[in-house]
Amino acid sequence: MRILVLNVNTTETMTESIGAEAAAAASPGTEIIPLTPLFGAESVEGNYESYLAAIAVMETVKAYPEPFDAVIQAGYGEHGREGLQELLDVPVVDITEAAAATAMYLGHKYSVVTTLDRTVPLIEDRLKLAGLLDRCASVRASGMSVLGLEENSEAAVRAITEQAMLAVQEDRAEVICLGCGGMAGLKDSIAERTGAPVVDGVAAAVTVAESLVRMGLSTSKVRTYAPGRPKLFRNWPFAAGSLQH
Amino acid sequence: MRILVLNVNTTETMTESIGAEAAAAASPGTEIIPLTPLFGAESVEGNYESYLAAIAVMETVKAYPEPFDAVIQAGYGEHGREGLQELLDVPVVDITEAAAATAMYLGHKYSVVTTLDRTVPLIEDRLKLAGLLDRCASVRASGMSVLGLEENSEAAVRAITEQAMLAVQEDRAEVICLGCGGMAGLKDSIAERTGAPVVDGVAAAVTVAESLVRMGLSTSKVRTYAPGRPKLFRNWPFAAGSLQH
Amino acid sequence: MRILVLNVNTTETMTESIGAEAAAAASPGTEIIPLTPLFGAESVEGNYESYLAAIAVMETVKAYPEPFDAVIQAGYGEHGREGLQELLDVPVVDITEAAAATAMYLGHKYSVVTTLDRTVPLIEDRLKLAGLLDRCASVRASGMSVLGLEENSEAAVRAITEQAMLAVQEDRAEVICLGCGGMAGLKDSIAERTGAPVVDGVAAAVTVAESLVRMGLSTSKVRTYAPGRPKLFRNWPFAAGSLQH
Amino acid sequence: MRILVLNVNTTETMTESIGAEAAAAASPGTEIIPLTPLFGAESVEGNYESYLAAIAVMETVKAYPEPFDAVIQAGYGEHGREGLQELLDVPVVDITEAAAATAMYLGHKYSVVTTLDRTVPLIEDRLKLAGLLDRCASVRASGMSVLGLEENSEAAVRAITEQAMLAVQEDRAEVICLGCGGMAGLKDSIAERTGAPVVDGVAAAVTVAESLVRMGLSTSKVRTYAPGRPKLFRNWPFAAGSLQH
Amino acid sequence: MRILVLNVNTTETMTESIGAEAAAAASPGTEIIPLTPLFGAESVEGNYESYLAAIAVMETVKAYPEPFDAVIQAGYGEHGREGLQELLDVPVVDITEAAAATAMYLGHKYSVVTTLDRTVPLIEDRLKLAGLLDRCASVRASGMSVLGLEENSEAAVRAITEQAMLAVQEDRAEVICLGCGGMAGLKDSIAERTGAPVVDGVAAAVTVAESLVRMGLSTSKVRTYAPGRPKLFRNWPFAAGSLQH
Amino acid sequence: MRILVLNVNTTETMTESIGAEAAAAASPGTEIIPLTPLFGAESVEGNYESYLAAIAVMETVKAYPEPFDAVIQAGYGEHGREGLQELLDVPVVDITEAAAATAMYLGHKYSVVTTLDRTVPLIEDRLKLAGLLDRCASVRASGMSVLGLEENSEAAVRAITEQAMLAVQEDRAEVICLGCGGMAGLKDSIAERTGAPVVDGVAAAVTVAESLVRMGLSTSKVRTYAPGRPKLFRNWPFAAGSLQH
């Protein structure tokens, strides 16, 4: 089984670390293909960057020359999953949703700890649309930027752990979702300090994608995600339409 | 006052008719600038096309060389409004939201009548995110495509009127929103046949944009729609960052 | 275009200041007619006073001898808008709803800052019924009474600004609605101190009323707001039934 | 124990029949005092009439010369309960709410069958504000007017029973609330034909009022329903302020 | 009228005190029969204990040899009410729901003060399922265990009063529900200190049960709570099926 | 990895077929242990039977003598999952929830097709508590009993397929969940006829359980599902407390 794991930003070291997380979570026999988008921002922390990433991720997947069995969108709170579902006939899994759905098996309420304050509403909006907000105790920001997390300093651990503690104690979360790809390395440390299970979205998404493929399930094509009708696309260099594998 | 009105698809005749609707609704002294996106699908009827339109609309606005006072996104149920709000410091109005908010002044519940069945969930999702779904009685599809509406045939009138009648009688709507730019010409006929007020999103959005400008109000920059942080954008030919006018 | 702007209390100086706010927001050619209710409390700060105001406002509008094009109910969180909609065939706009709907174009969440703690639940209830509560971050009380605000002292500015700051910082509001007619003069000062757009309900309602009239839209008469059936009214000196203009 | 039962309209025969229903439901030792409002419409079937009734009911209670232990507002879907709660320090029970809360002890979902189609949204709004809408399967209209019900003809029985049957079979209600005072006589017949328990709001409200009095419980005065502040009331002949018994 | 009042735990002194509370709230002519479950935990403070209590309560009621008119489940936030409703054709009242529904007649929002932190989610879940959560301001834990409350020490009064104060002041509750049978003795003291009405669930449930019986109302048998179909029960010593009285 | 799969009823052939479904979905190296409850009804189709099954399932798991890595509760819409989570420190997965969460990756809305009409509210209640109801289009009953399904006749296929078709066409579901263990054999046939993906809850739960184990995640013990406090259990022959493996 081959799973494409799409970084949403164009920082290659981030693609590598996401790929490593995904590979660590994969079953034997699963091949993880981490991909950097063909274009876009070095880090995605707002709406313009996120919309650009959405279309870049779609074009990157469309341009991938080999067959594959599932796609993971590895950006937290980002736009675009619906487009991938429409273009492809293999399962598409968003890490924001996979993390939340996984957390809901583990405790009464969960919280997300993310990077910048400004990305909180984006994550809340994605969870609301996904119908996964009802048991979300809070989305909290650590104040660390995406690239700041990459450095994985003591400061990052402290800031994220502090928000996770507040989520458990004040917001009554019982599970923590790490709301950014770059946070995966902090998982054990935060679990130990809070006493709560910590879900890494990339790992969760890999297991979901594998499971869907094993069950022979993929995106429904009866309405919302049916293939697009044939259309003329002006001034857009990438091939249009859906891919068949 | 100068208002940019963005068609979401690349069919110029559609841009013209949207521009005409907007101009008809504008106050004296308001200049309506209808714009066709720099790239994208001839008609937008699904998620891939909508995400591509989102970024195309943003780049088109960014590339517009003259000053302007407000921007209207004239696609029903489309992605991208949040990105425009982040990029710009003038008000941004989405026709889906303007139509719904306007309808809510006029009756206890409203319905939207749109084109294809597959776009119904997109409109529902936009209204849910906008917090405007609570008084929505239904979103109904006429089965007419966007370009089919352009021809404005008897069949289109019949199909849309029939759904509007069902919305009023079965779903208990008291107001009808026309869920596609190309429907504006049918407004009077549908109002007459259903007895319910009919809201055209483009006209509603023009009045909202004018009102916001007159009151000196624009998008809040305190969190979600603050200007993006300086970033490196790879392989993307368009200038990044927010625009200042 | 002639718009009646109804104060909900019987303090004439308040009618004048509401009228001045409305006039400042009106387009050229719009005539603002501020009206004091024929009977009722000097200030409205609770349910009995609000219900009395509801019926007083309706009778005052019914007794107005000249034609008019729209009616604004200029009380925050007050009862009665539905009755006006039923009696009249011109548009009716409530300032609580106009402020909230306007704020929703400007930021991800909004808060209302009002006068006394006891009026908070009334405002919440109106927003819930109007289907506009979903993106409301909070309704906060400054502790100032309606008539206390009239004096517009330093204390009022401080108390309201403090609550607006807490709304932005703790409740995550991005826009502030001023929840009382008498607060309009504080708008610029609060906007400056919080960095968030500040919406004045009276101004917002004027622009909405003008827009509805310009678009030829008025209250739906298909069900909830259809004219009342002919009835005998006992011991009530005011003429019954709906008005036709 | 003395309970005031307030008809909302000025038709005395209706006051009598509501009084009889209430008396039939009362415990030994409870004195039921049915009251006709001092002014208002012969029947209440819309918003203007309902707001007028709200204030008429309040003034009628304020003018009642003897001590009393509780007040029942016997109009279905009407305005005004909050005002009574503020004015009085004895419990106030609204029949719309008492019927719904009672129905919720009896089945998974309940429906309300009311008179005219136009009153359906008023009942829905009252249930929404009361936080009792979640388990409401539907509010259905029989098409009978309030005064038409008075005649209690075969047609009324048939129309109401038919809607009750549809509520059980199509809307999945398991309990029926009769949404109008005049319907109480039909209770047994409808219960027999639908197989579902049928709740009469007046009877339910009497038992609730008695229970609250027996438990020594009354309206909280800590915030929303605290007594009104001293105010000047202009041109209003009735004494203002709250009553103490 | 004979009402069975079921303690959910097997501590007999608790059964006695619940029985005394119930008897104090009962009308003349009502016989209260307090029952201790045939098996189960000495105190119920979690899910395993609560599920065991659910089935123990059902078997205890089934084994009760005399006729009875209603059943009260006197555990706060416990499982099992739906099973009793299915087994019996007399009314079943849960104290969690009776307390909440009673509180909703008394103020705009209510809070529950319960024992241990871990029982808060159980109470929230029961209120959510019952459709009574919308006007719940908060469920707060005092940190006292069920058996600790029995001793009714100064510490218990202090801890519970403190949470009730916070509920009124910070969560904006206007009514307090005591979320455990053993708290009834603290009612007056907490009401005095908070100024808010305090509802005791056992007393509320007794009045509700009496009222339903007096109105001739019982659980609907049209769907959810219809008698179970005839079944073979393996290895379960208690007689199966529903009871008819 | 060893996963216990708990049938909720005492029909051994059903345990076998559930075990076969689970084994078919399991990864190599996963050992599926199907278990029949120690006591209870031959089929579970209502609340009493479901509560009895809840406690029987818990005791059966507690009595299981070997170590295990996860537990699946294989009853649709049944009580008890929270109790297992509290008793165990390995992951617990309910098939109702696993099916819904899996369906939500595959389409905009999903429906459940179950057996008897009376079990519909139980399933709705479980999905509501699990926070998974928001994207549920409908829960539909085929009218087939649990044991009737066992026979897997032509009638069962027809009845279930018909409801699945209505769910897709009228309720706008895009994915179907089979709401009963015994339905798994019908999966392919229904998928073919409706064109929508069909999720079998047992298979979905197996993949979820495996994934949680592989990620080292289990139930949070910080609050709701912390081990029960030491308690005296009267007249209950089974050992109390939580299990440690």
Side-chain angles (χ1 to χ4, degrees), chain A residues 103-197:
Chain A
M104 286 161 66
Y105 293 113
L106 303 174
H108 194 262
K109 291 233 170 115
Y110 71 93
S111 283
V112 179
V113 181
T114 186
T115 53
L116 301 180
D117 191 45
R118 68 179 297 160
T119 64
V120 169
L122 280 84
I123 294 173
E124 289 173 341
D125 277 3
R126 295 290 85 61
L127 292 172
K128 178 187 272 189
L129 270 193
L132 297 169
L133 196 58
D134 200 40
R135 286 168 62 198
C136 179
S138 58
V139 181
R140 282 181 168 270
S142 66
M144 305 297 298
S145 70
V146 170
L147 296 180
L149 278 174
E150 270 280 274
E151 307 166 14
N152 210 352
S153 66
E154 266 308 296
V157 179
R158 259 202 316 278
I160 293 167
T161 306
E162 184 185 4
Q163 294 302 314
M165 292 299 294
L166 291 170
V168 170
Q169 289 164 1
E170 299 197 354
D171 308 334
R172 303 182 65 79
E174 306 188 358
V175 188
I176 299 296
C177 294
L178 291 181
C180 178
M183 288 179 179
L186 316 174
K187 193 183 143 182
D188 292 342
S189 143
I190 295 168
E192 195 182 322
R193 296 195 205 178
T194 60

Side-chain angles (χ1 to χ4, degrees), chain D residues 218-239:
Chain D
S218 189
T219 305
S220 176
K221 295 291 169 182
V222 303
R223 186 173 295 113
T224 311
Y225 305 119
R229 300 164 21 129
K231 289 280 170 69
L232 207 76
F233 287 80
R234 294 210 193 152
N235 303 326
W236 186 243
F238 301 94

